[in-house]
Amino acid sequence: MKHTNVLLAGATGYLGGFLLKVLIERKNQVVAIVRNPDSLQNDHENYLEIKQAQVTRPETLRDICKGIDTVISTVGITRQKDGLTYMDVDYQANLNLLEEAKKADVKHFVYVSAINGDKHRNLKILEAKEKFVDTLKASGLHYTIVRPNGFFSDMKDFLEMAKSGRVYLFGSGHQKFNPIHGDDLARAIVATLDDGNKELTIGGPDVLSLNEISELALKTLNKPIKIVHLPDWSRKLTIWFLRTFISVKTYGPIEFFLTLMAEDCIAPCFGTHHLEDFYKEVVQNNIAPK
């Protein structure tokens, strides 16, 4: 990959942190936009410039793409907060970035959506992401749409459950997927920066069932294997109840999780990081799962 000038939006998030590390490792010039400059330490002044801006406020982005070859956006929210909706952030904030990219004749726009986003547009989280995907594809810019499987950071939820001594699953637990570590995903994304229009669906190296992930979490915490399988109708009832009685702010991420967890979700395998090692590292470092 040739060296390039990259604007990175979402640099303080899970994936953004790994992208920043890999981009600088490959000697790219990076402009990272952050809401709070103190949230990012600059140990690489030769390669990194930190600019204060808010992607939800277009006036703060004016001319932010000047001299930029590639924009990478990991901008998105799992839970609605600060009065901002999925449409405000996953769609409109990325659109604000895209408008600046078009103005500055940026060559390539990389956007991180989610696996099967195009198949599950009815889910609140994915509706906004896919609306932006459509707009990006029609923009005339070279694009890469990245559709990763679940992140390792999301798999901490299983460790959190396992702390109580048992894990609860809907259905048989045989549903399989291959979550991916942020470092592996970042390396795959940076490797595509010279490519033309493409969609990159990607997962980690290990295809695991929900039962196997639950067992890993329990074993890592030295707990006996206790997995409770709830009937699948209770999953469907939960989704119906959430959509009917609970605000989208609360039900969005749960609806997403419960829908995708009900079916096999296997992406092309990539990377060298294994979930078992990640779990051990989390427990050894005594990082409280969030």
Side-chain angles (χ1 to χ4, degrees):
M1 189 197 97
K2 62 178 183 285
H3 302 157
T4 189
N5 295 321
V6 179
L7 180 83
L8 177 60
T12 55
Y14 171 74
L15 176 58
F18 286 108
L19 276 165
L20 188 58
K21 175 175 161 280
V22 175
L23 285 164
I24 289 171
E25 208 176 85
R26 306 277 170 90
K27 298 184 165 47
N28 295 281
Q29 297 295 324
V30 183
V31 175
I33 52 177
V34 294
R35 282 171 63 178
N36 174 11
D38 296 333
S39 62
L40 199 61
Q41 198 174 330
N42 193 349
D43 299 322
H44 306 276
E45 288 185 9
N46 291 342
Y47 295 107
L48 174 62
E49 182 183 356
I50 298 170
K51 285 191 178 178
Q52 186 172 15
Q54 278 185 248
V55 283
T56 51
R57 293 174 53 200
E59 69 276 11
T60 69
L61 295 173
R62 203 162 291 126
D63 296 328
I64 201 102
C65 292
K66 218 171 180 178
I68 295 293
D69 304 307
T70 300
V71 172
I72 303 178
S73 176
T74 68
V75 169
I77 51 174
T78 304
R79 291 170 177 80
Q80 294 184 162
K81 56 186 177 184
D82 303 331
L84 295 168
T85 66
Y86 296 119
M87 279 298 173
D88 292 335
V89 180
D90 293 66
Y91 174 67
Q92 187 61 52
N94 281 298
L95 183 60
N96 296 340
L97 267 179
L98 179 60
E99 293 301 332
E100 286 296 326
K102 281 158 68 176
K103 251 175 31 186
D105 290 326
V106 165
K107 296 184 185 73
H108 192 172
F109 197 112
V110 180
Y111 174 63
V112 181
S113 182
I115 193 165
N116 292 337
D118 46 342
K119 294 177 192 162
H120 290 292
R121 286 171 176 257
N122 59 313
L123 304 182
K124 283 295 174 191
I125 285 183
L126 298 180
E127 179 190 11
K129 288 183 187 299
E130 290 305 311
K131 188 175 179 186
F132 179 71
V133 167
D134 294 343
T135 307
L136 176 55
K137 285 181 174 179
S139 69
L141 268 63
H142 279 307
Y143 63 80
T144 301
I145 313 296
V146 185
R147 298 189 183 283
N149 217 326
F151 293 162
F152 274 21
S153 57
D154 300 324
M155 298 302 103
K156 286 183 185 178
D157 289 346
F158 287 90
L159 271 183
E160 185 63 48
M161 253 196 292
K163 276 162 55 176
S164 72
R166 64 189 59 199
V167 175
Y168 293 87
L169 298 176
F170 288 102
S172 67
H174 295 316
Q175 308 92 309
K176 291 183 176 177
F177 70 126
N178 53 325
I180 187 165
H181 193 284
D183 182 67
D184 286 333
L185 181 54
R187 290 180 190 284
I189 291 171
V190 172
T192 71
L193 295 189
D194 296 335
D195 296 355
N197 296 346
K198 72 183 292 185
E199 296 196 35
L200 176 67
T201 300
I202 185 168
D206 302 322
V207 177
L208 300 163
S209 71
L210 294 179
N211 286 326
E212 288 168 329
I213 291 171
S214 305
E215 284 174 23
L216 268 184
L218 289 159
K219 275 182 189 166
T220 307
L221 291 165
N222 294 315
K223 304 276 187 186
I225 306 301
K226 286 185 185 171
I227 301 171
V228 179
H229 293 94
L230 304 168
D232 194 56
W233 61 259
S234 61
R235 178 189 66 84
K236 292 174 182 169
L237 183 64
T238 303
I239 293 174
W240 174 84
F241 180 84
L242 290 167
R243 284 178 179 163
T244 309
F245 298 109
I246 309 294
S247 79
V248 67
K249 177 178 173 180
T250 305
Y251 86 66
I254 306 170
E255 173 195 52
F256 172 72
F257 182 77
L258 290 182
T259 302
L260 266 64
M261 290 291 106
E263 57 194 39
D264 283 350
C265 199
I266 302 168
C269 296
F270 179 85
T272 58
H273 289 78
H274 302 282
L275 187 61
E276 183 175 3
D277 298 330
F278 174 75
Y279 276 172
K280 284 176 183 167
E281 188 186 325
V282 169
V283 172
Q284 278 167 8
N285 293 340
N286 202 20
I287 301 168
K290 292 174 186 173

